[in-house]
Amino acid sequence: MNSPTDMFSDQYSERLFSVIQMLQRSALMNMGAIPDYEGMIHFNLGEAKAAIDAVEAIQEKTSGNLSEMEDTILKGTLSELRMIFVKAPEQQKLIEQDICCLNDLVWKKL
């Protein structure tokens, strides 16, 4: 059975994809797709876009220097982040409506 570190050709590839994973997590948290470290959902689309743009810059600057598998992982990560980013404003609106409805229910019970 292969460990996750066996996926990459060397330690530099592992480090590069650790950075990409950090940027991915930051983008996902700022798009409300995953909770933050305190379990809260929040939206900061400017920060999410900055993280996605950084992943895109990594893709551009490493073009031709990655293995086929590494290139596929990077392209897939970037594609996934872009799709979620497009849907994030609608997701934010739905969550805000849910919170508003919950607040109304609480106030009615008081």
Side-chain angles (χ1 to χ4, degrees):
M1 187 166 173
N2 293 341
S3 72
T5 57
D6 291 341
M7 290 175 49
F8 302 109
S9 57
D10 57 41
Q11 67 181 356
Y12 299 110
S13 291
E14 286 180 47
R15 290 178 189 161
L16 174 66
F17 279 89
S18 289
V19 170
I20 292 167
Q21 185 180 30
M22 285 186 273
L23 291 167
Q24 178 187 31
R25 182 165 178 75
S26 174
L28 291 171
M29 279 194 297
N30 284 298
M31 291 186 289
I34 60 174
D36 66 15
Y37 297 105
E38 295 176 351
M40 304 296 293
I41 297 291
H42 59 91
F43 290 85
N44 184 337
L45 298 182
E47 287 291 321
K49 183 175 182 334
I52 294 168
D53 288 348
V55 174
E56 183 178 25
I58 290 170
Q59 180 188 36
E60 187 65 32
K61 291 307 240 177
T62 59
S63 180
N65 292 318
L66 299 175
S67 71
E68 185 177 331
M69 183 203 55
E70 292 166 344
D71 188 54
T72 300
I73 292 170
L74 184 53
K75 284 179 181 176
T77 299
L78 193 52
S79 177
E80 174 190 28
L81 290 173
R82 287 174 175 155
M83 288 188 322
I84 295 169
F85 184 81
V86 168
K87 296 175 184 177
E90 183 179 330
Q91 183 68 18
Q92 180 178 7
K93 185 177 177 181
L94 291 172
I95 289 173
E96 288 172 352
Q97 286 174 346
D98 287 347
I99 290 170
C100 194
C101 290
L102 287 173
N103 285 339
D104 288 347
L105 286 174
V106 168
W107 282 107
K108 285 180 183 178
K109 288 186 178 187
L110 295 176

